[in-house]
Amino acid sequence: MKDQARVVVIGGGIAGCSALYHLTREGWSDVMLIERDELTSGTTWHSAAQVTNFGMNQTMIGLKSHSIALYKELRDDPDYPVGYNYADGGIRLANTPEQMDGYRHFTSVAAGMGVEFEVIDAAECARRHPLISADNLLGGLWDPHDGHIDPAQLCQALARRARLAGAEVNRHTPVTGLTQHADHTWTVHTVKGDVRAEIVVNAGGYRCNEIGAMMGVSHPVASMEHQYFLTEDIPAITEAGHRMPLLRCPISDYYCRQEKGGLLLGFYEQDCRTWGLDGIDPHFSNALCPDDLDRVTDVLEGAFARMPALMDTGIREVVNGPITYTIDGAPLVGPIPGKRNAFCIIGLRAGLGEGGGHGWLLAQQIVHGEAEYDTWVIDPRRFTDHTTVELTALKAIEDYQNEFRFHLPHEHRPAGRPMKTTPLTPLLAAEGAHFGTVNGWERVADIKPSPDFTETLGYRFNEVHDVVAGEVAAVQNGVGLTEVSGFNRFELTGSGVHDFLDRMICGRVTRKPGRVGLGYLLNHHGMLKAEATVANLPASDRGPDRVWYGSAAASEFHDMDWLSSHLDPGEDVAIRSLTNDQTILVLAGPGSRAVLSEVARGDWSRDAFPWLSVRETHIGIAPATVLGVSFSGELAYEIHV
């Protein structure tokens, strides 16, 4: 084993093998993979290994398209062909109009990425999959690219290609510790010796938090037990003369695909179980959890009703193994928050189907600083420090129970709520506020016109449309007040602050005390990285001259990483987060100046306090900072308290 490498990838499942292979494809050959046991000995080996092109946003569709193209190439490799059943086709069933509307939406999104889906009716579903009943069925979404792949062969093929390109793969080499040095490089300690690395990648699967602990971080990833069984041969399959399409059923929470002459049938039962939260047996490798088919009885009944042939079919094998979930269900692929030269590719609950694409985008980020796609949906910095093990477990259970039920517009699921609130949250609730969540913060979405008002969730205009129209009219013609909780707020101090911001932000940044500007931060490719409001606060009894940097609630860790990583050694700039210390009230509308003048001393006229001004004041007896900014198109003020 070498004692140094440019990149060390820890973990030899689909995530690690894909990352290693794609690093070599991006031109880096001095890379190493370290696996504690054998390749694919974690979750990968027992994966159902479905490979679909379906995704709920363009990034996920694009990376799955990359996976499919790569897997087809590996299938056709004459030197090491991988078993890949491509284009069996797959159907996602629906029994509600809202689900059908969703499938039409996702079909449109996919078309924008050059991927063709088809929305079909119930009769066509039954024609394409002759084992299913069309009872209680409206239709479904057809993915012509759906299929499945051999997990072990896939990972071995990726590792083989990486080795041919110069990478090193070390099996049966447990990592025992990680040490980061002052220059941000790492020493990876293993049972076979130390490796000095410029960059470390956590691809540890369900052991990702063991690796995270070695770095001093905790990832919002939890494992769930997941069961599937393999049936005996089914005559309707063996006699069909063609392969059966894959099936995913949000009605009864199961999926199936053809496995030889029978089916692989998997379940997302409501009575589900987390796994490994209090530690994982170090000897758990190529291992499974005990069978527990009693938990899936309800799901089985639904599967039997949808596929009557199952009632006459025997079970030849049961598999129950851990799969990983993140706090929002999407993987964590990219820079690790608060660390330099540290990346992760973890929480891949659909790892085989997506793993090729995730490794591709991660390698681009490591080598080039950015990926060719917008990776925010998988960026590990999209969460902040509210993502405890306990909350992650609750959200993992909720996601597992809704595996095939996509989020509808305006839907904010209840597990773990409320997580982050302000003193105003109960007051607004008493006024009828309906809350959504942003980075864990409860934030007002609209004000219910009556206590029993409910919204019909879906992809069409609903009851909330008129409610919001009334709120817009109030702001347009009078005045409105709401709280915008959780907005990111950094305080920058030091003699070098303005020079630093000039370097970070394209365009001119105002240096005038008491003035506010809007800035855009670009990466080295000239692409937009962040947007921020910059407010210059003069020295006062609340502090010295300082600058407030404000940005979106979800960007707190992302923007702190970006700013901190670009500070020069010795630069007199300090950055402190105030996000959890204050909240924001937005006062908007043509009557807002009159309201502000009634509650705060001083002259708030246009001449005394023009647009893009900032002033420290008191609202009643409460210290506050007021910014004259508007994102509603009307006269408005941000009141930070």
Side-chain angles (χ1 to χ4, degrees):
M1 184 172 74
K2 295 192 303 185
D3 62 2
Q4 64 180 35
R6 192 169 191 179
V7 182
V8 169
V9 179
I10 304 172
I14 179 58
C17 291
S18 178
L20 188 77
Y21 164 73
H22 283 96
L23 283 167
T24 66
R25 292 289 293 174
E26 296 298 328
W28 285 16
S29 59
D30 183 18
V31 292
M32 178 188 295
L33 184 147
I34 299 177
E35 162 57 40
R36 72 191 305 276
D37 294 299
E38 186 54 81
L39 297 184
T40 76
S41 59
T43 292
T44 301
W45 77 271
H46 61 74
S47 169
Q50 301 168 89
V51 182
T52 175
N53 218 155
F54 179 82
M56 287 180 280
N57 55 66
Q58 291 174 316
T59 299
M60 297 303 288
I61 293 169
L63 64 85
K64 290 181 179 185
S65 294
H66 176 86
S67 295
I68 290 170
L70 172 62
Y71 299 169
K72 289 167 66 178
E73 178 186 330
L74 295 173
R75 177 199 62 187
D76 298 335
D77 185 340
D79 296 324
Y80 195 94
V82 171
Y84 177 29
N85 288 296
Y86 167 69
D88 289 347
I91 307 174
R92 293 173 183 267
L93 301 179
N95 69 339
T96 69
E98 291 77 18
Q99 289 170 328
M100 293 296 286
D101 284 345
Y103 290 157
R104 295 183 186 98
H105 165 74
F106 295 128
T107 297
S108 176
V109 172
M113 296 296 289
V115 175
E116 296 300 321
F117 294 151
E118 184 182 357
V119 178
I120 57 179
D121 62 20
E124 185 63 15
C125 289
R127 190 190 70 79
R128 297 189 187 189
H129 200 307
L131 291 181
I132 70 170
S133 163
D135 292 347
N136 186 33
L137 193 64
L138 287 182
L141 180 141
W142 172 259
D143 174 4
H145 310 282
D146 222 334
H148 76 277
I149 196 164
D150 184 294
Q153 290 181 9
L154 171 61
C155 291
Q156 293 290 350
L158 292 170
R160 172 182 174 273
R161 286 193 170 194
R163 282 193 295 261
L164 290 174
E168 180 175 313
V169 176
N170 294 288
R171 300 171 297 126
H172 306 290
T173 308
V175 172
T176 58
L178 294 166
T179 300
Q180 189 164 31
H181 305 285
D183 63 354
H184 307 299
T185 61
W186 295 86
T187 295
V188 182
H189 307 284
T190 82
V191 296
K192 296 181 180 178
D194 292 349
V195 181
R196 191 68 180 258
E198 179 183 337
I199 294 167
V200 170
V201 176
N202 182 349
Y206 54 65
R207 295 189 185 274
C208 66
N209 271 312
E210 294 179 4
I211 299 167
M214 298 177 191
M215 294 184 177
V217 300
S218 177
H219 298 290
V221 177
S223 295
M224 302 292 299
E225 289 188 20
H226 177 59
Q227 296 186 93
Y228 64 78
F229 63 62
L230 305 174
T231 74
E232 296 175 349
D233 285 358
I234 298 174
I237 293 177
T238 58
E239 299 167 6
H242 61 82
R243 291 186 58 81
M244 289 291 164
L246 288 80
L247 194 71
R248 297 172 182 86
C249 181
I251 306 164
S252 300
D253 298 313
Y254 79 95
Y255 63 89
C256 68
R257 65 165 175 82
Q258 184 171 337
E259 178 69 16
K260 298 181 179 178
L263 290 174
L264 182 154
L265 195 72
F267 313 99
Y268 290 97
E269 70 280 5
Q270 297 302 296
D271 184 22
C272 52
R273 298 284 187 273
T274 57
W275 180 86
L277 295 183
D278 296 320
I280 301 170
D281 185 337
H283 302 294
F284 190 90
S285 176
N286 278 311
L288 294 171
C289 309
D291 302 345
D292 190 2
L293 289 182
D294 288 344
R295 289 212 314 261
V296 302
T297 301
D298 291 347
V299 182
L300 269 176
E301 290 176 357
F304 288 160
R306 182 64 58 200
M307 305 177 76
L310 290 172
M311 290 186 282
D312 300 318
T313 304
I315 299 173
R316 62 180 175 87
E317 185 179 355
V318 178
V319 173
N320 183 18
I323 57 176
T324 56
Y325 279 74
T326 67
I327 199 165
D328 69 350
L332 305 178
V333 181
I336 295 175
K339 293 292 178 181
R340 299 283 292 277
N341 293 353
F343 294 80
C344 62
I345 176 168
I346 55 179
L348 278 61
R349 72 181 186 192
L352 269 295
E354 304 171 354
H358 288 307
W360 173 55
L361 295 182
L362 178 67
Q364 290 181 4
Q365 292 180 70
I366 293 172
V367 174
H368 306 295
E370 298 287 345
E372 62 186 77
Y373 286 172
D374 175 7
T375 56
W376 180 247
V377 68
I378 56 176
D379 195 308
R381 298 165 297 185
R382 66 188 186 272
F383 309 116
T384 49
D385 52 12
H386 68 287
T387 54
T388 61
V389 171
E390 291 75 15
L391 178 61
T392 301
L394 288 174
K395 299 304 287 187
I397 291 169
E398 183 179 60
D399 258 3
Y400 185 97
Q401 292 171 332
N402 291 279
E403 177 68 28
F404 297 131
R405 286 185 283 277
F406 47 81
H407 277 80
L408 292 166
H410 302 174
E411 182 180 11
H412 298 272
R413 291 175 177 168
R417 294 179 61 190
M419 174 50 58
K420 294 197 283 189
T421 61
T422 76
L424 295 176
T425 304
L427 300 178
L428 291 163
E431 293 294 326
H434 167 232
F435 295 91
T437 59
V438 181
N439 192 27
W441 290 96
E442 295 291 321
R443 181 181 289 180
V444 177
D446 52 77
I447 304 297
K448 296 183 288 187
S450 64
D452 59 350
F453 178 83
T454 57
E455 178 181 3
T456 303
L457 298 176
Y459 281 88
R460 300 170 185 262
F461 286 136
N462 59 21
E463 304 88 348
V464 169
H465 183 262
D466 290 339
V467 173
V468 173
E471 294 174 355
V472 170
V475 170
Q476 186 177 31
N477 301 310
V479 64
L481 178 69
T482 191
E483 180 186 29
V484 184
S485 53
F487 249 71
N488 181 36
R489 184 188 299 98
F490 299 151
E491 182 179 84
L492 284 72
T493 55
S495 61
V497 165
H498 289 292
D499 289 339
F500 172 65
L501 290 175
D502 272 343
R503 191 172 77 247
M504 295 300 297
I505 295 175
C506 67
R508 187 178 66 85
V509 183
T510 181
R511 296 181 178 224
K512 290 183 179 180
R515 297 296 290 166
V516 176
L518 187 65
Y520 293 91
L521 291 76
L522 308 182
N523 62 23
H524 57 286
H525 299 293
M527 307 300 287
L528 187 65
K529 194 69 179 177
E531 177 192 61
T533 301
V534 177
N536 298 316
L537 293 169
S540 70
D541 57 355
R542 301 182 194 176
D545 289 336
R546 58 208 183 279
V547 173
W548 275 9
Y549 171 108
S551 59
S555 68
E556 181 182 354
F557 277 10
H558 172 276
D559 287 11
M560 180 62 83
D561 262 9
W562 186 251
L563 294 172
S564 299
S565 66
H566 286 86
L567 282 172
D568 291 336
E571 193 166 19
D572 184 20
V573 177
I575 307 174
R576 180 169 70 103
S577 177
L578 302 177
T579 302
N580 296 328
D581 297 342
Q582 299 192 32
T583 189
I584 300 175
L585 293 173
V586 173
L587 182 68
S592 57
R593 180 179 287 115
V595 173
L596 183 60
S597 298
E598 287 291 323
V599 297
R601 291 186 298 111
D603 185 355
W604 296 97
S605 67
R606 179 183 298 176
D607 292 336
F609 192 74
W611 187 56
L612 296 181
S613 295
V614 58
R615 179 190 296 177
E616 292 179 331
T617 186
H618 286 76
I619 304 296
I621 62 172
T625 303
V626 178
L627 276 65
V629 295
S630 174
F631 298 96
S632 63
E634 305 295 335
L635 177 67
Y637 304 94
E638 285 185 5
I639 303 171
H640 296 244
V641 293

